[in-house]
Structure formats: structure tokens, C-alpha cells
Amino acid sequence: MQKFVFDWVRGELYQRFSFVFFFKFRMLNDIKELSLVDLILKEYPHLQTKLETIFSDPANLLFIFDGLDESVQQMDFRSERLCTSPQIQESLSVLVVSLVKQSLLKGCYVLITSRPTKLALIETQNFQRVSEIMGFFPKERKLYFDKYFLDEKKSEMAFNYVRENGILYTFCYIPSYCWILCTVLSTCFKLQEMCFELLPKTVTQLFVTFFANILTNHSRDTSQVPAQLTSLGWMAGYGVMEHVLGFESRNLETFGVNYSSLLSNFMVESGQGPNVTVSFFHLTIQEFLAALVHYLDYSHEKLQESLDKARRFEDGRGEMFLRFLCGLSDSNTRAVLQKHLGDFSPKTSVGVINWLSNTFSMNVRPDRESDDKRKILNMFASLFESRNRALVAHCLGANKKFQFPEFHLAPLDCTVLAFILECCRDPELVDLDSCFIQTEGLERLYTILHNVMELRLTNNDLKDTDMKFIYRILTNPACKIQNLSLKDNSFTEECCPTLAAALCENQSLRTLDLSKNKLGGPELENLLNVLSDNACKIGNLSLRATKLTHEHAPLLVSLSGNTNLTHLNLSFNYFADTGSEYIYELIRKSTSLREIRLDTNDFNMESIERLRSLQKYHPNLNIIL
């Protein structure tokens, strides 16, 4: 959001706004009641004499409130209690809700950011738009590396390494993670050591590596480091559990935290005089330290209390803390910090693993379509962080179906799901219909999808260039896929040769759904030649709404040569009466068809009756017109 404001200042974004007021919820947590005027002057005192003029044209104003999940106040957007004047004192929540519901400065614009877990718990119908911040797209990740390193050779070397490591590359869509990776890589270059093999594979390992880098390069008195991080960790944990993000001097005294040069690498001061507070640079750093302290200073009671409490938070604010706890249960992950912090408590690992196993078995059923998919993915993410394959297999038990239809899966979700599937023996179904996985998601998943018996990839905006991943899935020697749905994507005739080549090699596929893709064109012949071959094992084929016309109808006659083909769907195309002659020939010649769907193809009644007349010659065939 700071970048958002920066681009506005530079004249590159939203120039229709004359004023942009930027607030961080975490910096407003100590506010009880104030007016909108007070709120603005607290951040922008130089506007003291200008506010009346500014408020006179609300349509030119944009209010940005960053980090709703970091606010201790509950925002009730259904509330009828509203503020109508910038001079009236109210709670922060009432002011924000009033701006959103336009009872205050009607015509102004409001932009609020939040972690998705918090957003899921609030009423969003008052907002004109709810958008997801996608982070860096692939080209922007490369640009970030170029701008960070400035040296073309180093940038290329670092980016190529990260690009080849699927998990690291996925991390890079989050700008702060991209910065951490570049920081660690730049240290490797400075030391003239190719320490790439030590680079992280999980989010926990990413932060472990980041902390190890700081402790190596920014800590002089190493003997005090464990004690300092322990004090800081308990304060961080208190903040996570009690939703405290800004710490006053009394908090530091309570937990014995001395603001040293080491701690300045993790925290920043704000305010002046007696009102100075310190907060962590990023909430994720606070969450990592809150988890790490349990391995530095083990207490069975504190660990169980923290695990249970974090799990019960309805706003999801305990999720990253839980992932870090699970990630640190892996001894190889912790080993990177051991030389700085000494031995860690193995009892913490045992406690975390037992808790994870029990919680999963009682609360998670990935085979049930009705279950809360975000909760399931959060548990999967914790298992992924643990890197404990035996634990994953134990937790999954007899679960062999993974259903996430109409649930948006981010690239990192796909990376996590790939790891879970890898640990599952003989998965039966992976349903990713309408998950918007796109190219990057499929790239994370394709290496393991050949193990599935039924794979659904309907409506994921997959394109012709993505067919190479489908090719690799289907041509894997161990491919077990029997049912494959590629329905309603963005495939065109250009992908047909690649798919045809895959079907030539594949021996497992029995059902193929290509509906609602624009396959009409010269390259379609390549695909139909393979599907027509008697060696093709596909028995159920759907070409529904694939933009086929009378020009493609002659090619379809050859499908009669595939004696395994029993069900064929050609409905919702454009054959018209000219094409009906060839459809007639296809049905007449076929000896294996049991059902053919031809409805909505612009046939006139004469063509329809002629096609129906074939029924008496094929009594076992159901012709649907």
C-alpha cells in the first residue's frame, strides 16, 4: 500500500484523487475515541488549516486503511451506529464503517486491505469490489531480481536458481519473501560461496535462513543471543495471542526485552517521547519468533495453551504461528539456527507433532466437498512445513479424494497440495474444477498428478502452452488417470497436436472431456486421427461446445474406427444440415457407440428425423437430439 501511495504521488496511479490519506490499523490500536479530523491531523498535522476545504469535495478523497487483520477493534459493517460529521468523536470502528457506508463524507473512496482469513469473517456487501492482491507475476519477479542485484550476471544466476526450484519461485509472488530470498542470495555472493544447497524449501526454512543470516552478520556478542531472542519471543507470542502489534516500554520491561542493536534488525520504533512504541518490521517476523521461543524455552503448559488458542482464533490470525511451530518440528530445519542458539528442545517437536496428528484426524476430511476448504488447506500447509512424510501419510489415513471445486487455489496452495498428494498412496480423485490454478498452479502440481485415477481441471483458464504439462502427466510411464476433464478452459486447435501425441503414448485414459474449448480448426485433424485409432482406449469422449462446424464433420466419421468408443457428446456445435450427412455416416458405421448426444446443432426437422431413423438399425444406441 505504501507503493500504491508512492505511485499516486509520482502521478502514475489514480490521479483523480486530490488527497490520499494512508493509515495502518496496527498504529491505531491504542485509540479509544476520536473524530475523523483528529485522526487525519494525528497523521498529517500540516493540514490543520486546510481540512474544511479538503472536505468540501469528498469525491476527490481516498482513505486507505491497511491491515484490517492487525486491528484490535471489531469492524461491524452491519452496524446501524454511524457517524455523520468529521468533528464528532467516535470509536475507530464506527469512523471506518461510516466512511464505507457513506454516512460520513458521502462520495469519498475507501480502500481496506486484509489477510484473507480476516476478510472471510466480515460482511462485504457494502463494498463495490473485493479483490485479491496477486503479488508479483513472473515477469515482475525477474524485474525485482534485476533491480535488487543491479549486476546482470548475479541477477541471472540467482533468478535461474530460484526459477528451477519450484517452491522458491512460488514464494517470490510475495514481495517481502522475494526480498528475503535476494538478501540471502546476496550474502552467498559476498562470501563468494555457492551456498545454494542451504536455501529454503518451505516458508519456515525461508525465515530460518533469514534469521541465520542476520545472526551471522549483525550480532557481535553471540553469547547473549539466545537469551535476547527468548525474551523477544515471549513478547512476540503475547502479541500474537492478545492481538498486540505495538509494544510500549512497560511491555518491554515485563518480558525483559532490551532494545539492542540485534533487536533493531527485527523491530522499529515509532512515536516520540513517552509515547514511543516498538513493533516488528513485519507481522510474519513476530509470528516466527512467537513459534521459535517454544523451542528455545520449552514449557508443556505454555505450548499446549498456545496451540489450542491459536487454533480457535476465528479470524485466522494464529495460522502462520502454527505453520512455523510445525515447520520448526523438523530437526533439519532447526539445524541452521543451532550454531547461533544452541540445542533446541526435542519435547517441543514431539508435542507439536502429536497435536498436529490429533487435530487433523478430528477436524479434516479432504474427501468431503462440503468441508471448509481453507481450514483443510491450512492444515495441509502445516503438514507441508513439517516435511514429515510419515506424519502426512498417517494423518491422511484412508482419505484418497481431494475435492476443492470453486475454491481459488494460489500457487503456494498448489505447492502444498502437490506435497500432500506425493505422500498419499493411490489417490483416487483430485477435483480442481474452477480453482483458477492457471499456468503456475499446474506447473506446481503436474509432477504428481499422474498418480490420480480421476483428475478434474475444468474452468482453470488453462491455455495452449499449458498442454505441455498435460502431455507430461499423460505420458508418465506410471500414469493411472482414467478420467480427465479439461472442460471450459482456453484451449484452441493449436494444442491438438500435443494432446494427440500424449494420447498415442497413454494407456490408462478411458474418459476425456474437452467441452467448451475452441478446438475447431485445421489442427483438430491430428487429434481426431488418434481418437479414431482402434488402439485408442478412450470410451467416453465429450466434444460438446467446441466450436465444430460442418467443415469438421467429415473428420468425425473416422471416429467409427475406434471400437472402444461407447459414449460421444457432440452437442452445442454448429454442424447444421450440411454436417448432418457426416454425422449420419458416423452413426451408421459405428459398431460400439451406446450413446451419442447431438442436441443444439442447428439441424432442421428433416435432418433430425433422418438421424433418428438410425435408431431402428442400432437398438442399443441412444441418439439424443
Side-chain angles (χ1 to χ4, degrees):
M1 286 298 101
Q2 287 175 317
K3 176 67 162 62
F4 187 104
V5 176
F6 179 65
D7 287 343
W8 170 75
V9 170
R10 292 197 302 173
E12 297 178 2
L13 194 67
Y14 286 148
Q15 291 305 287
R16 69 175 183 271
F17 297 120
S18 302
F19 292 90
V20 173
F21 299 109
F22 177 66
F23 305 98
K24 290 187 177 182
F25 274 117
R26 66 156 52 197
M27 305 309 294
L28 305 176
N29 281 335
D30 60 340
I31 292 175
K32 302 302 179 187
E33 287 193 353
L34 78 173
S35 67
L36 181 62
V37 169
D38 295 333
L39 179 64
I40 292 173
L41 294 180
K42 182 180 172 70
E43 192 72 28
Y44 306 98
H46 58 282
L47 296 178
Q48 176 81 50
T49 60
K50 307 287 196 312
L51 283 184
E52 188 175 346
T53 304
I54 292 170
F55 289 159
S56 65
D57 193 0
N60 288 330
L61 308 182
L62 172 63
F63 291 87
I64 299 177
F65 293 95
D66 190 23
L68 179 61
D69 53 291
E70 299 183 358
S71 176
V72 297
Q73 299 201 33
Q74 296 300 314
M75 302 289 161
D76 185 2
F77 292 98
R78 294 171 298 184
S79 174
E80 296 299 320
R81 181 177 178 181
L82 300 172
C83 178
T84 57
S85 169
Q87 283 78 31
I88 296 177
Q89 290 206 340
E90 286 284 2
S91 66
L92 177 68
S93 60
V94 170
L95 291 181
V96 173
V97 171
S98 300
L99 286 169
V100 169
K101 298 183 81 168
Q102 298 286 283
S103 68
L104 185 58
L105 293 184
K106 185 176 181 179
C108 74
Y109 291 80
V110 183
L111 176 61
I112 298 176
T113 70
S114 172
R115 282 183 174 181
T117 47
K118 178 70 173 182
L119 188 64
L121 297 173
I122 66 171
E123 298 291 329
T124 57
Q125 62 262 35
N126 291 301
F127 296 90
Q128 292 177 309
R129 178 178 297 173
V130 178
S131 304
E132 180 172 357
I133 300 173
M134 299 299 293
F136 288 149
F137 289 111
K139 288 182 180 179
E140 293 168 326
R141 296 173 203 178
K142 178 66 170 69
L143 183 61
Y144 186 95
F145 273 69
D146 291 342
K147 287 180 175 291
Y148 184 96
F149 286 100
L150 298 177
D151 182 310
E152 184 178 348
K153 185 178 179 181
K154 289 180 179 178
S155 171
E156 195 73 24
M157 187 184 302
F159 185 78
N160 286 343
Y161 174 79
V162 171
R163 183 68 183 85
E164 290 165 11
N165 186 316
I167 296 172
L168 290 184
Y169 187 61
T170 303
F171 288 162
C172 286
Y173 87 96
I174 302 173
S176 59
Y177 289 8
C178 208
W179 173 73
I180 291 173
L181 272 171
C182 288
T183 301
V184 173
L185 287 166
S186 66
T187 302
C188 291
F189 293 137
K190 288 174 184 175
L191 296 174
Q192 295 185 330
E193 295 175 8
M194 290 295 99
C195 51
F196 289 152
E197 69 278 0
L198 300 176
L199 282 170
K201 303 291 188 295
T202 67
V203 177
T204 306
Q205 290 176 1
L206 182 67
F207 276 80
V208 163
T209 307
F210 176 59
F211 270 69
N213 179 51
I214 288 175
L215 296 176
T216 299
N217 298 292
H218 302 282
S219 179
R220 296 176 183 175
D221 186 2
T222 56
S223 64
Q224 296 300 311
V225 168
Q228 287 179 315
L229 288 188
T230 298
S231 299
L232 188 62
W234 286 125
M235 188 174 78
Y238 160 76
V240 170
M241 296 303 154
E242 302 302 326
H243 216 168
V244 176
L245 303 165
F247 301 92
E248 301 172 359
S249 57
R250 59 184 176 85
N251 299 127
L252 275 65
E253 291 172 10
T254 300
F255 292 96
V257 175
N258 295 312
Y259 193 75
S260 61
S261 59
L262 171 64
L263 299 193
S264 67
N265 290 289
F266 309 123
M267 307 189 77
V268 61
E269 290 183 334
S270 59
Q272 296 179 343
N275 298 318
V276 170
T277 60
V278 294
S279 58
F280 291 90
F281 279 122
H282 197 281
L283 178 56
T284 321
I285 291 177
Q286 180 176 342
E287 292 162 326
F288 177 81
L289 278 167
L292 179 64
V293 73
H294 287 283
Y295 289 87
L296 293 172
D297 187 13
Y298 173 70
S299 164
H300 175 76
E301 291 74 19
K302 287 182 178 180
L303 176 62
Q304 290 304 314
E305 183 184 358
S306 295
L307 285 166
D308 294 337
K309 196 171 183 179
R311 178 67 180 163
R312 288 196 301 267
F313 288 138
E314 290 188 3
D315 61 4
R317 69 175 183 269
E319 286 304 329
M320 283 307 301
F321 165 73
L322 290 174
R323 291 184 197 183
F324 285 138
L325 265 179
C326 296
L328 288 167
S329 69
D330 176 40
S331 58
N332 291 328
T333 297
R334 297 194 307 270
V336 179
L337 286 172
Q338 203 153 346
K339 66 178 182 179
H340 303 287
L341 302 176
D343 293 332
F344 295 96
S345 170
K347 292 181 181 179
T348 307
S349 294
V350 174
V352 169
I353 289 171
N354 288 338
W355 175 86
L356 187 55
S357 177
N358 294 333
T359 303
F360 193 97
S361 61
M362 290 188 294
N363 296 284
V364 178
R365 286 290 303 275
D367 57 332
R368 285 201 298 239
E369 191 172 333
S370 59
D371 279 12
D372 188 324
K373 301 308 176 187
R374 177 43 61 194
K375 286 184 178 179
I376 291 173
L377 283 168
N378 285 339
M379 289 301 295
F380 279 175
S382 293
L383 287 168
F384 170 76
E385 293 295 321
S386 77
R387 309 306 291 167
N388 191 329
R389 295 175 184 273
L391 175 62
V392 177
H394 171 75
C395 288
L396 290 175
N399 285 313
K400 296 189 180 297
K401 295 181 179 180
F402 300 84
Q403 301 194 70
F404 295 92
E406 299 184 5
F407 186 88
H408 180 206
L409 295 178
L412 204 51
D413 293 326
C414 294
T415 298
V416 168
L417 184 56
F419 174 77
I420 299 298
L421 290 171
E422 196 176 330
C423 300
C424 178
R425 189 172 181 179
D426 301 323
E428 295 174 2
L429 167 67
V430 173
D431 184 353
L432 304 179
D433 286 352
S434 303
C435 288
F436 201 63
I437 63 170
Q438 299 185 294
T439 301
E440 192 167 351
L442 185 58
E443 187 176 2
R444 300 289 160 257
L445 285 162
Y446 85 90
T447 56
I448 196 64
L449 291 179
H450 64 275
N451 283 327
V452 180
M453 293 182 65
E454 182 173 357
L455 176 60
R456 301 175 187 170
L457 295 173
T458 297
N459 188 26
N460 277 294
D461 196 30
L462 301 177
K463 298 178 172 59
D464 292 333
T465 52
D466 299 318
M467 190 56 74
K468 63 178 179 289
F469 298 117
I470 304 299
Y471 173 86
R472 292 170 190 170
I473 293 169
L474 293 176
T475 57
N476 189 300
C479 183
K480 299 176 183 176
I481 298 177
Q482 295 182 14
N483 300 330
L484 173 62
S485 174
L486 298 174
K487 178 182 175 182
D488 199 9
N489 281 290
S490 300
F491 294 124
T492 72
E493 58 157 320
E494 297 298 325
C495 77
C496 289
T498 305
L499 180 57
L503 296 178
C504 280
E505 293 187 44
N506 180 273
Q507 294 297 309
S508 65
L509 200 60
R510 298 294 181 268
T511 298
L512 177 62
D513 190 349
L514 296 171
S515 304
K516 300 181 80 170
N517 288 289
K518 299 177 182 178
L519 302 181
E523 298 291 353
L524 177 65
E525 186 172 2
N526 288 283
L527 179 59
L528 290 176
N529 286 341
V530 173
L531 292 169
S532 302
D533 195 295
N534 203 35
C536 180
K537 299 290 193 272
I538 292 176
N540 192 329
L541 174 65
S542 180
L543 295 173
R544 181 181 187 272
T546 49
K547 304 295 183 183
L548 304 185
T549 69
H550 66 278
E551 294 177 353
H552 307 110
L555 301 171
L556 295 171
V557 178
S558 63
L559 288 173
S560 60
N562 181 352
T563 56
N564 294 304
L565 188 62
T566 59
H567 292 73
L568 178 61
N569 190 343
L570 296 174
S571 59
F572 288 86
N573 282 296
Y574 305 93
F575 297 125
D577 299 320
T578 309
S580 70
E581 296 294 324
Y582 299 99
I583 304 300
Y584 183 93
E585 281 299 299
L586 164 61
I587 298 173
R588 190 180 67 81
K589 289 184 176 181
S590 175
T591 59
S592 59
L593 277 177
R594 294 293 174 265
E595 179 180 283
I596 182 168
R597 302 191 68 97
L598 297 167
D599 45 307
T600 318
N601 265 300
D602 296 333
F603 297 140
N604 64 23
M605 283 306 300
E606 183 180 346
S607 297
I608 290 174
E609 291 304 320
R610 186 162 185 265
L611 289 168
R612 278 185 180 149
S613 70
L614 287 168
Q615 193 83 63
K616 60 185 176 183
Y617 302 110
H618 295 275
N620 295 324
L621 171 61
N622 185 18
I623 303 174
I624 300 172
L625 285 157

